[in-house]
Amino acid sequence: MQVPILKQGDFLIASIQAALTDADLRQLQDDLVHRVSIYRSLGVIVDVTALDVLDSFACRTLSGIAQMTRLRGAKTVVVGIQPDVAFTLVQMGLRLEGVATTLDLEEGLALFNRPTN
Amino acid sequence: MQVPILKQGDFLIASIQAALTDADLRQLQDDLVHRVSIYRSLGVIVDVTALDVLDSFACRTLSGIAQMTRLRGAKTVVVGIQPDVAFTLVQMGLRLEGVATTLDLEEGLALFNRPTN
Amino acid sequence: MAAEARHLETSVPILADIDIVTARQQGRALAERVGFIGSDLTVIATVISELGRNMLTYAEKGVIRLRPHYFGGRRGIMVVAEDEGPGIVDVELALQDAYSTSKSLGLGLPGTRRLMDEFDIVSVLGKGTKVTVTKWVS
Amino acid sequence: MAAEARHLETSVPILADIDIVTARQQGRALAERVGFIGSDLTVIATVISELGRNMLTYAEKGVIRLRPHYFGGRRGIMVVAEDEGPGIVDVELALQDAYSTSKSLGLGLPGTRRLMDEFDIVSVLGKGTKVTVTKWVS
Ligand SMILES: Nc1ncnc2c1ncn2[C@@H]1O[C@H](COP(=O)(O)OP(=O)(O)O)[C@@H](O)[C@H]1O
Ligand SMILES: Nc1ncnc2c1ncn2[C@@H]1O[C@H](COP(=O)(O)OP(=O)(O)O)[C@@H](O)[C@H]1O
């Protein structure tokens, strides 16, 4: 199940469509990091609305994407985290390190268009 | 800042538009409980997309709405909890007792139209 | 209210990472049948994911058994993750936050313990590991 | 990077529940200026809300001071909530989860302590209560 990555101007949008295996997640990370370099993107949005679980591997991968794209000058925003998923994540002791989050894609794009501090 | 409550068939939808005071939240609870009785509603949706904070009073009020409407046969769904708000809530030690949550209004309505168990 | 679902026990062999996805989907479905709602479903799916991944990572393979659990008037779900891998040298240590032998986050086991109502682990070096966890409908 | 914002100290009198909203909005704005992002902003706003409500509930009124804080190369925000109310009889107890003298949840103070990097409380019976908390930009 490959994750489609859309290039929209200076941004990349990865829309996860269904549950992912660990291999799929690793692939997504590689793809995003690769494309951020090629396109010199300013931002990456990962839409996780379709995911009903963010376990430790998924968190680590999302943080990894944020970290590696930051080295290339891009910021990562994760959009569409289900509230139940957010609750569970914190209860487990997990954190989305270095990752900005918004409710949906629209807010995610708005975040990039706001002056950053 | 009163919260508009929309009656849509068997459901009530409260769309919070801006930050609320504690008095506003109390008012919202009274209004919803009152209307659930009058209209014999089956479900209540509270849209909190506009809230950038859910503190202990807000959590207690949302749980109170769920509890009191349940006594009148209606289920409560809170939609639009920002991920950062969800993270903070759990870190504080708070829980939305008896409250179902979904990402957005659409999913909230879908929850009611699904066969319950 | 869910009817009793005692007969719904299932067993998912974990041989590749796609099996983790299958196991957590089956776990969520079973949990719904048992009567769980909301974030409890997410919790159960997440725990299955953590236990399944540990099997693949540390024991190469294993089995996850999902079982409706009725006891003392309560209903719940029991998840048993069993493998014949190398076992865990120091279980106490493995249950501590951020301890990992694989450059991973080390939150799988302690996180699972926090999320579930009951948690039991038996590990014998050279024989394997069995983690048994239960969550009750509240 | 945010420029230093030492001059941005503000003080919000808490006399009615609308003032809590004002204080948390100002706190969030100041935190952004100092350089906080994401869920730290939510954390700071939530803490201000809890401290402000405690003042209104237990001391009728008080003041919340918001202050950029620079120390040892770190930058952060300091929130001081001070009132001249009745004080807290047993501070140890008040810091425990689920302890409340007002049928409330009793998570305001212990939750605030968990969320912030530094937490200090001084309460004198008949004189008042002062809670000082700091969060550092990570
Ligand atoms: N099924 C297993 N077989 C052998 N060792 C295991 C197993 N599960 C966990 N462990 C050991 O326990 C440690 C902690 O596990 P866990 O908390 O899930 O964190 P992580 O998997 O991220 O390292 C692992 O690093 C590993 O050494
Ligand atoms: N500013 C204050 N003045 C006097 N008493 C306070 C103050 N803040 C907190 N307290 C006392 O500490 C207790 C615990 O506070 P907190 O953890 O915020 O929970 P809650 O406000 O929900 O009761 C309160 O119930 C109250 O007795």
Side-chain angles (χ1 to χ4, degrees), chain A residues 19-24 26 51-60 84-85 87-88 90-95, chain C residues 17-18 20-21 24-25 28 38-39 42-43 45-46 49-50 53 102-105 107-108 110-112 114-115:
Chain A
L20 297 182
T21 64
D22 294 359
D24 296 333
R26 244 180 251 115
L51 297 185
D52 70 336
V53 161
L54 282 177
D55 62 9
S56 61
F57 187 80
C59 281
R60 190 157 65 108
D84 286 340
V85 170
F87 296 150
T88 303
V90 181
Q91 277 174 270
M92 273 212 81
L94 293 168
R95 293 191 52 181
Chain C
D17 66 357
I18 183 73
I20 301 178
V21 176
R24 71 184 182 224
Q25 284 167 348
R28 175 180 275 267
S39 65
T42 308
V43 161
T46 306
S49 208
E50 297 294 339
R53 178 171 309 102
S102 70
K103 285 190 279 179
S104 172
L105 295 176
L107 287 167
T112 294
R114 275 190 290 273
L115 290 176

Side-chain angles (χ1 to χ4, degrees), chain C residues 32-45:
Chain C
E32 281 196 32
R33 294 285 293 266
V34 168
F36 285 99
I37 52 168
S39 65
D40 280 350
L41 297 172
T42 308
V43 161
I44 290 160

